[in-house]
Amino acid sequence: MTLHLVKLCVGADSVETLQAWIDFRMEEARMAGLAEETTHTTRMVPTRRDELLDGGSLYWVIKGKIQARQHLVDIRPFTDQAGVKRCDLVMEPRLVLTQYQPRRPFQGWRYLKATDAPSDLRIGNSAQSMPDDMRRDLTDLCLL
């Protein structure tokens, strides 16, 4: 059964900012001859690895709402130079916009059941091509 993760996106104030960061990191990897993959390092290693890699995604909370997700490709535990166990969440570099879903602040990541995950915005949906601020305002007004 598919399981997802949800995490606060610290440092990005919009989906566009997050995508720009991903694109920048991908270009850096390309120029350095490294694998073109997006990783996010976290301290806690998910114990439900098989369920997460069975089609799971990392859902990003930006400005108090889940707004986008990235498909999980791999989970790679490692020990850093200080001897602390950590984990790289490896994801596809493409963001998928989702319906907004409010979330309160929390630390780290949380599991998210597939039944509780917000729906993707449909391809061809005019909301997908809108600027993030406009989409957020229309959603707040219950027009999307």
Side-chain angles (χ1 to χ4, degrees), residues 26-39:
M26 293 303 297
E27 184 60 29
E28 277 188 330
R30 223 175 275 121
M31 296 193 55
L34 301 173
E36 294 182 31
E37 59 188 19
T38 302
T39 61

Side-chain angles (χ1 to χ4, degrees), residues 10-25:
V10 178
D13 59 355
S14 69
V15 173
E16 290 88 358
T17 305
L18 177 57
Q19 186 63 60
W21 175 249
I22 291 168
D23 294 343
F24 173 76
R25 296 292 305 264

Side-chain angles (χ1 to χ4, degrees), residues 11-127:
D13 59 355
S14 69
V15 173
E16 290 88 358
T17 305
L18 177 57
Q19 186 63 60
W21 175 249
I22 291 168
D23 294 343
F24 173 76
R25 296 292 305 264
M26 293 303 297
E27 184 60 29
E28 277 188 330
R30 223 175 275 121
M31 296 193 55
L34 301 173
E36 294 182 31
E37 59 188 19
T38 302
T39 61
H40 178 75
T41 303
T42 182
R43 206 179 90 183
M44 301 302 293
V45 179
T47 57
R48 300 172 70 179
R49 182 180 197 277
D50 293 340
E51 293 170 89
L52 290 168
L53 296 179
D54 184 25
S57 292
L58 176 63
Y59 283 79
W60 290 109
V61 177
I62 302 170
K63 294 229 173 200
K65 297 177 185 80
I66 294 177
Q67 296 188 34
R69 68 178 179 87
Q70 285 181 275
H71 179 73
L72 286 167
V73 175
D74 198 5
I75 297 171
R76 298 180 188 147
F78 67 96
T79 303
D80 69 11
Q81 298 151 342
V84 178
K85 290 184 179 180
R86 298 196 182 276
C87 173
D88 275 342
L89 303 173
V90 183
M91 301 163 288
E92 289 181 352
R94 183 178 66 92
L95 285 176
V96 177
L97 297 178
T98 65
Q99 297 291 331
Y100 283 168
Q101 188 180 81
R103 286 290 163 149
R104 292 184 176 268
F106 59 92
Q107 290 186 349
W109 50 261
R110 300 286 185 268
Y111 288 115
L112 178 66
K113 294 178 188 174
T115 56
D116 296 334
S119 302
D120 292 348
L121 288 181
R122 293 184 311 270
I123 295 175
N125 185 332
S126 60

